[in-house]
Amino acid sequence: EVQLVESGGGLVQPGGSLRLSCAASGFTVSSNYMSWVRQAPGKGLEWVSVIYSGGSTYYADSVKGRFTISRHNSKNTLYLQMNSLRAEDTAVYYCARVEGSGLYYFDYWGQGTLVTVSS
Amino acid sequence: SYVLTQPPSVSVAPGKTARITCGGNNIGSKSVHWYQQKPGQAPVLVIYYDSDRPSGIPERFSGSNSGNTATLTISRVEAGDEADYYCQVWDSSSDHPNWVFGGGTKLTVL
């Protein structure tokens, strides 16, 4: 059974840093495309970042240069390092597995972890 | 960047058919995916590749896509279908891949 479990969220001051983790089971993270998607309170879904199975990484313009996506193959875990955090980064962050052949969608999602950026 | 437009809300009586639209420029040339999100829960994929259903999703959920509009249709609506629904496409037209979501539609079962 595929499972994704996020952790690492919490309250952080503006300008601070936080690292989110997403532990996967039931499949191999490094063999799949993996993404982070966030949802600000009361708002819609926003794609944040993706890491391809080959290691290429891409980011939404809103987080480029501040966030870094990575993975630990032996731990089967996905990460999101978030630096220079802003109030507008406050959101529930979901990790999701990417599926599809060139027409990509998210077939499995974690339960999410809340990040609050506030002084 | 590519923009998807959804109505903020749709209301339907139990047993009737709900149709949630997703508008985009020539969206018919793209593959559209749909997610259901209930309060306090993670999104769940309900339709992929315009009209395919993942295992476990009732046949009452169907999708179509043509021209500038994609549509999620829920037949014989039940109280448990009340949720937010999001459409999504993958866009490769810019210098980096981009997963685009619509703004979401709140489905209310009257």
Side-chain angles (χ1 to χ4, degrees):
Chain A
E1 179 192 9
V2 171
Q3 281 197 320
L4 297 167
V5 179
E6 301 96 335
S7 60
L11 175 63
V12 60
Q13 293 187 337
S17 298
L18 211 56
R19 188 179 82 157
L20 307 182
S21 300
C22 171
S25 58
F27 73 102
T28 303
V29 164
S30 61
S31 298
N32 288 267
Y33 293 8
M34 296 293 297
S35 253
W36 290 95
V37 177
R38 69 183 180 183
Q39 185 172 35
K43 303 297 184 182
L45 301 171
E46 179 189 18
W47 172 74
V48 173
S49 181
V50 66
I51 182 167
Y52 286 176
S53 52
S56 297
T57 59
Y58 299 95
Y59 302 89
D61 291 341
S62 57
V63 306
K64 194 177 300 183
R66 301 186 299 122
F67 289 12
T68 302
I69 190 172
S70 63
R71 67 189 181 211
H72 193 299
N73 294 348
S74 63
K75 293 184 178 180
N76 210 32
T77 298
L78 179 73
Y79 301 101
L80 186 68
Q81 177 67 43
M82 304 185 295
N83 299 331
S84 302
L85 283 162
R86 308 166 179 166
E88 55 264 36
D89 295 319
T90 294
V92 173
Y93 285 74
Y94 298 98
C95 68
R97 190 177 78 170
V98 180
E99 191 49 83
S101 300
L103 303 167
Y104 301 110
Y105 56 93
F106 306 107
D107 63 345
Y108 288 96
W109 299 65
Q111 86 288 352
T113 187
L114 176 63
V115 172
T116 303
V117 184
S118 174
S119 55
Chain B
S1 61
Y2 196 75
V3 176
L4 295 174
T5 302
Q6 297 183 237
S9 63
V10 167
S11 298
V12 63
K16 300 299 185 182
T17 298
R19 294 179 180 84
I20 299 172
T21 59
C22 177
N25 184 34
N26 197 27
I27 195 173
S29 66
K30 297 182 177 296
S31 194
V32 179
H33 319 294
W34 292 90
Y35 304 88
Q36 175 194 69
Q37 186 181 34
K38 296 182 179 180
Q41 298 183 20
V44 172
L45 179 71
V46 293
I47 293 289
Y48 64 101
Y49 293 163
D50 295 340
S51 59
D52 289 348
R53 276 179 292 104
S55 61
I57 301 301
E59 291 183 7
R60 301 184 297 104
F61 288 80
S62 62
S64 62
N65 184 19
S66 179
N68 293 316
T69 305
T71 303
L72 173 68
T73 301
I74 309 172
S75 305
R76 302 180 300 283
V77 167
E78 303 174 356
D81 298 331
E82 190 163 281
D84 294 326
Y85 291 85
Y86 295 89
C87 58
Q88 174 253 310
V89 300
W90 183 73
D91 179 42
S92 60
S93 61
S94 66
D95 61 348
H96 64 76
N98 192 19
W99 280 258
V100 181
F101 290 95
T105 297
K106 180 176 180 57
L107 176 67
T108 299
V109 180
L110 300 171

